[in-house]
């Protein structure tokens, strides 16, 4: 099967995909997050993987927005423990570093560690593995990248700092995109459903929306609001709740919710994901 | 009075500050958003201004996080209509442009417009006025910046495109930070209170939190969730509601809320802000 992820070889998305799917599949990098969605939606790939939330930095909002592009659905999730490494070209020492390249979230997660490098510029790039690729390609001798150990292995680079993140409970939640629902064998409480909706402009609208779940003892995992594109300060709500949309009570809750929504869509029901540590390997 | 804003001269934050406060004050630029907070908190400035939300792009999350740094409070807000301009050095024509510098949100807001420039790289910088400063300082003849008309005037640059944003209802909400509450003369319904809280891990916690407002017919303006730094997938909720915390019913609602919070803080009560168009001026 072809599985697409955003970024370069060694990106956290690839590590997560390899934990979720068996290693024998074909993992293909694409440049943008929206390319992941499009490849799945257009049938060019069987599955795609997108980071959606980090335990420290919060939601990756652009990927919430991408979920509304077409008909692809969420068929799974996985939580990857993230550890960052400071990576540089051979011959570069910590003292020489004047620039650090990485994804802005990775830079933010290593903020305390980075204070030891005085007069150093932090330069945002679109993903962590690209940062390693860039400093290697341009043979930078005064720069380092923050990325995964896998990126250091893949690009054959020197590791100057290990597990440099400020806090050690750093996890990223990835969602698996597909084209058709999977059959779900787990118990109801081990299944999660993601929906998105916008609400009529009535008093207490959000309170009423949440009541359709609370009144049925349905647990919520997460709620996230995003502005509706092109409408001033109107919001879309992304909500994850416990249960399978194919079952009676969750379905009744959604029908109740529809009494006050102006728009809604079920993004998918899927098994609650496991937390995994990445396994690094020589390729 | 000294009033601090983040960025360069001509930044949208400065335009908003000049609409909120009279022009006779001293407006001082600082490099980072957290410097704005610190200057107010440490008493080095009377007031500070921070962008907190854009009608198209959503919340500026890092500025929500900054609000918890110390004791500074929100004393006001203002909504600035935002129009973007494509700005370049004298002699640069549209055909020559290979790079566009701006804040990522500004780039995102002009996405359709930018499709006309083929093979052009979009380079993120920390604020729009810095983008103009950079292309001027480095005398780039193949680059443009997206910024305010004020930045074009201040840096004496050429305007290649006017109001280039994809949608015309682009507003940014700014909050005014101060050290002590202002006396509020408006009617209760023209006052807004901002609070932040985290909830006990009990079923339906968020539903119960919202009920303290719904049961008292208190309207909510906005709810925003942010991860608690260092705690896995625990959330802080930022909530704006209609009313003055000094009055009886809002105070009762907060006392009720405290029955289920593990942490809460009142960020301030202030007049609901006006929507203003920036006025550009030669300095």
């Amino acid at each position: 099967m072809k599985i697409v992820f955003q970024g370069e070889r060694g990106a956290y998305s690839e590590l997560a995909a390899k934990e979720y799917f068996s290693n024998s599949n074909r993992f293909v990098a694409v440049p943008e997050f929206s390319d992941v969605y499009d490849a799945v939606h257009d049938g060019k790939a069987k599955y795609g993987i997108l980071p959606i939330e980090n335990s420290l930095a919060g939601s990756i909002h652009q990927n919430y927005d991408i979920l509304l592009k077409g008909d692809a659905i969420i068929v799974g999730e996985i939580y990857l423990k993230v550890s960052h490494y400071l990576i540089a070209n051979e011959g570069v020492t910590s003292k020489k570093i004047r620039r650090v390249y990485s994804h802005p979230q990775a830079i933010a997660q290593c903020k305390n560690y980075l204070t030891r490098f005085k007069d150093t510029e932090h330069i945002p790039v679109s993903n962590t593995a690209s940062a390693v690729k860039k400093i290697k390609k341009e043979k930078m001798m005064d720069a380092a990248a923050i990325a995964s150990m896998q990126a250091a292995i893949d690009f054959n680079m020197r590791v100057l700092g290990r597990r440099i993140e400020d806090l050690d409970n750093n996890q990223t939640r990835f969602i698996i995109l597909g084209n058709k629902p999977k059959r779900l064998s787990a118990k109801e409480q081990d299944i999660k459903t993601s929906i998105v909706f916008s609400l009529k402009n009535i008093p207490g609208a959000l309170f009423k929306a949440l009541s359709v779940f609370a009144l049925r003892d349905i647990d919520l995992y997460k709620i996230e609001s995003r502005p509706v594109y092109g409408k001033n300060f109107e919001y879309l709500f992304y909500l994850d709740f416990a249960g399978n949309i194919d079952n009676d009570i969750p379905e009744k809750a959604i029908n109740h919710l529809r009494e006050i929504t102006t728009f809604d869509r079920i993004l998918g029901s899927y098994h609650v994901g496991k937390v995994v540590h990445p396994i690094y390997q020589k390729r």
Side-chain angles (χ1 to χ4, degrees), chain A:
Chain A
M1 293 190 304
K2 181 173 164 185
I3 293 143
V4 287
F5 65 93
Q6 186 270 342
E8 305 283 341
R9 287 181 70 179
Y12 292 109
S13 286
E14 188 187 13
L15 300 184
K18 290 193 166 177
E19 295 293 329
Y20 189 87
F21 298 100
S22 91
N23 228 320
S24 60
N25 292 291
R26 198 153 60 90
F27 298 89
V28 178
V30 292
E32 306 282 342
F33 289 127
S34 58
D35 299 331
V36 172
Y37 191 96
D38 294 345
V40 175
H41 181 261
D42 301 344
K44 288 176 189 148
K46 180 92 172 164
Y47 296 109
I49 190 162
L50 280 180
I52 197 85
E53 187 184 7
N54 176 271
S55 58
L56 302 181
S59 295
I60 297 157
H61 297 281
Q62 65 183 115
N63 288 349
Y64 274 94
D65 294 344
I66 282 172
L67 291 177
L68 288 179
K69 281 188 83 182
D71 304 320
I73 57 169
I74 306 175
V75 297
E77 65 168 2
I78 188 167
Y79 295 80
L80 188 77
K81 283 264 191 188
V82 176
S83 272
H84 295 308
Y85 295 77
L86 192 72
I87 297 166
N89 282 305
E90 206 55 57
V92 175
T93 58
S94 295
K95 271 187 186 165
K96 291 186 189 163
I97 293 170
R98 290 292 166 273
R99 285 171 293 165
V100 176
Y101 290 82
S102 196
H103 187 276
Q105 279 205 350
I107 293 171
Q109 289 162 13
C110 303
K111 209 172 171 184
N112 290 344
Y113 175 84
L114 289 173
T115 56
R116 70 184 66 182
F117 302 103
K118 306 267 179 256
D119 304 318
T120 301
E121 200 182 351
H122 302 157
I123 301 165
V125 292
S126 62
N127 70 77
T128 55
S130 305
V132 180
K133 192 179 184 181
K134 186 179 173 74
I135 62 169
K136 184 185 176 95
K137 198 177 154 196
E138 299 181 17
K139 300 191 178 73
M140 296 184 195
M141 298 306 285
D142 63 346
I146 297 172
S148 74
M149 187 62 203
Q150 189 65 51
I153 294 169
D154 288 348
F155 292 101
N156 195 22
M157 298 282 277
R158 191 167 175 204
V159 173
L160 293 179
R162 287 166 192 279
R163 307 198 168 200
I164 62 171
E165 60 274 12
D166 299 337
L167 292 162
D168 64 359
N169 51 1
N170 190 352
Q171 295 178 21
T172 298
R173 178 186 172 209
F174 292 85
I175 52 171
I176 313 298
L177 295 175
N179 269 315
K180 55 179 187 193
K182 277 190 177 175
R183 195 132 46 96
L184 299 174
S185 53
K187 286 183 213 143
E188 181 79 4
Q189 66 265 36
D190 294 330
I191 295 174
K192 189 187 269 192
T193 297
S194 295
I195 56 168
V196 52
F197 56 87
S198 57
L199 292 168
K200 290 178 185 167
N201 190 9
I202 52 172
L206 182 58
F207 169 75
K208 288 170 185 168
L210 297 186
S211 76
V212 312
F213 303 99
L215 293 170
R216 290 172 179 87
D217 296 322
I218 295 173
D219 279 340
L220 301 186
Y221 283 101
K222 166 146 211 232
I223 184 164
E224 176 75 31
S225 61
R226 292 286 297 147
V228 180
Y229 192 72
K231 303 235 177 142
N232 263 13
F233 299 105
E234 283 184 30
Y235 297 95
L236 282 173
F237 296 95
Y238 287 85
L239 193 142
D240 297 341
F241 64 86
N244 183 347
I245 194 64
D246 289 339
N247 291 342
D248 187 45
I249 292 173
E251 196 194 343
K252 283 205 169 85
I254 297 297
N255 286 336
H256 183 177
L257 180 67
R258 284 181 175 146
E259 295 173 25
I260 55 164
T261 57
T262 52
F263 160 83
D264 69 89
R265 200 154 111 201
I266 293 158
L267 295 171
S269 290
Y270 47 93
H271 291 157
V272 171
K274 290 186 194 123
V275 179
V276 296
H277 289 263
I279 296 162
Y280 307 115
Q281 43 197 292
K282 284 255 182 220
R283 318 200 200 209

